[in-house]
């Protein structure tokens, strides 16, 4: 009987040792897998930091204020969800490491959601900015011709008396294309006293452009036009001594010098043979 009991103890010990060995092997395998996961999470955290730096640059471009630190903390904070790994303090290093890694993953998830919302906000702002920029005059109304008269005081060619010239003139052959200098809506298209055949475009935000003395108009009243769209052809209608495009820019009801609104090399316009 004594030998049988010893055999049972020996057998039980062998079984327990085998189970312990298997558990230890499984524990080591899980530890290796967990280490791989931790390396992946570290890579994601590094990418998140890069995205945060990019986000700050984009907010500057979008003319948005930086996110205050306290708002950012509220955006990515919050209680950590209860999980099986967080129920109680565990003596197992693998479990403790897994719990810490899970916390990092949950933090990354909250930061990603917060950052996604910020990117959507910036995209909307940049789209509105792009529309506003498209409506800002920025090109010359003609691409062929030469600069012939500037903005400001000059001698009137008909009376030889000092007068104020409200725009700038580009002399060109009759029929030379005249283009819209920004997106907008045609609010005048027809004869307009001394300006002859006139196109007037409302660009919004109080900005209006005028193109006078045309020989022919190619757009109609109320029509929406894009920057660079053909709107007329150079002529000498109205009070004019020769074919040219008279170009004006008005801001909030007052005429201004158009030159600062010509950014595409207008001064390169040359006299043609």
């Amino acid at each position: 009987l004594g030998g049988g009991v010893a055999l049972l103890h020996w057998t039980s010990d062998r079984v327990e040792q085998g189970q312990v060995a298997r558990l230890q092997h499984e524990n080591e395998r899980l530890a290796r897998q967990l280490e791989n996961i931790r390396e992946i999470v570290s890579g994601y955290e590094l990418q998140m930091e890069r995205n945060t730096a990019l986000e700050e640059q984009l907010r500057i471009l979008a003319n948005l204020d930086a996110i205050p630190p306290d708002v950012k903390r509220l955006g990515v904070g919050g209680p950590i969800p209860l999980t099986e790994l967080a129920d109680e303090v565990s003596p197992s290093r693998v479990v403790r490491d897994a719990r810490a890694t899970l916390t990092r993953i949950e933090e990354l998830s909250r930061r990603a959601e917060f950052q996604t919302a910020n990117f959507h906000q910036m995209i909307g702002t940049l789209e509105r900015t792009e529309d506003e920029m498209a409506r800002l005059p920025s090109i010359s109304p003609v691409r062929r011709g030469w600069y012939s008269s500037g903005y400001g005081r000059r001698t009137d060619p008909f009376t030889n008396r000092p007068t104020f010239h409200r725009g700038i003139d580009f002399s060109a052959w009759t029929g030379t294309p005249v283009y819209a200098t920004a997106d907008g809506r045609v609010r005048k298209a027809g004869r307009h006293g001394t300006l002859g055949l006139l196109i007037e475009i409302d660009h919004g935000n109080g900005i209006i452009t005028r193109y006078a003395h045309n020989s022919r108009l190619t757009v109609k009243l109320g029509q929406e036009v894009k920057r660079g769209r053909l709107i007329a052809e150079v002529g000498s209608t109205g009070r004019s001594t020769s074919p040219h495009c008279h170009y004006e820019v008005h801001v909030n009801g007052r005429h201004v010098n158009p030159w600062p609104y010509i950014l595409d090399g207008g001064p390169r316009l040359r006299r043609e043979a």
Side-chain angles (χ1 to χ4, degrees), residues 32-262:
R32 289 192 299 270
Q33 291 180 344
L34 180 59
E35 183 60 30
N36 291 335
I37 293 173
R38 291 168 66 182
E39 290 180 3
I40 293 173
V41 172
S42 294
Y44 284 141
E45 288 173 335
L46 179 60
Q47 185 59 53
M48 180 64 73
E49 293 304 320
R50 292 171 179 165
N51 289 347
T52 299
L54 175 61
E55 176 190 350
E56 293 173 355
Q57 294 175 344
L58 289 176
R59 292 188 74 85
I60 293 174
L61 291 176
N63 199 28
L64 291 171
D65 293 334
I67 301 174
D70 54 342
V71 173
K72 187 175 293 186
R73 283 195 298 271
L74 287 174
V76 300
I80 298 175
L82 292 176
T83 67
E84 293 180 2
L85 297 177
D87 285 342
E88 58 185 13
V89 177
S90 173
S92 169
R93 181 180 63 83
V94 174
V95 172
R96 293 197 303 271
D97 289 347
R99 180 192 305 152
T101 302
L102 179 62
T103 299
R104 291 167 63 189
I105 292 173
E106 291 168 342
E107 174 72 9
L108 274 174
S109 176
R110 290 192 294 272
R111 290 179 64 185
E113 290 179 3
F114 184 68
Q115 197 168 74
T116 297
N118 290 333
F119 276 124
H120 281 306
Q121 178 195 23
M122 287 185 289
I123 289 172
T125 300
L126 289 172
E127 286 175 344
R128 290 191 295 273
T129 302
E130 182 181 13
D131 179 68
E132 290 176 358
M133 292 300 296
R135 291 181 172 273
L136 184 67
S138 60
I139 65 173
S140 172
V142 294
R143 298 171 186 168
R144 299 197 307 268
W146 60 95
Y147 168 73
S148 57
S149 186
Y151 174 85
R153 292 202 170 275
R154 69 170 188 175
T155 300
D156 188 293
F158 289 94
T159 66
N160 287 323
R161 293 179 179 177
T163 186
F164 196 94
H165 191 223
R166 296 187 172 190
I168 57 177
D169 293 344
F170 293 106
S171 293
W173 300 114
T174 297
T176 297
V178 177
Y179 303 99
T181 58
D183 294 3
R185 182 181 60 82
V186 177
R187 74 174 209 170
K188 288 183 182 179
R191 292 196 174 274
H192 191 76
T194 59
L195 295 177
L197 280 177
L198 172 74
I199 290 290
E200 185 172 287
I201 300 176
D202 185 351
H203 304 284
N205 293 324
I207 299 177
I208 292 170
T209 53
R210 306 176 100 188
Y211 315 75
H213 306 303
N214 302 288
S215 61
R216 188 172 77 91
L217 308 183
T218 62
V219 292
K220 299 178 180 179
L221 183 67
Q223 184 174 339
E224 294 285 339
V225 296
K226 294 290 186 180
R227 176 186 289 127
R229 164 74 153 85
L230 176 68
I231 57 174
E233 293 178 356
V234 168
S236 189
T237 57
R239 194 167 182 262
S240 171
T241 58
S242 63
H244 69 284
C245 172
H246 172 80
Y247 177 56
E248 297 180 10
V249 176
H250 293 241
V251 178
N252 296 325
R254 301 182 63 180
H255 54 81
V256 298
N257 189 346
W259 270 122
Y261 294 89
I262 297 179

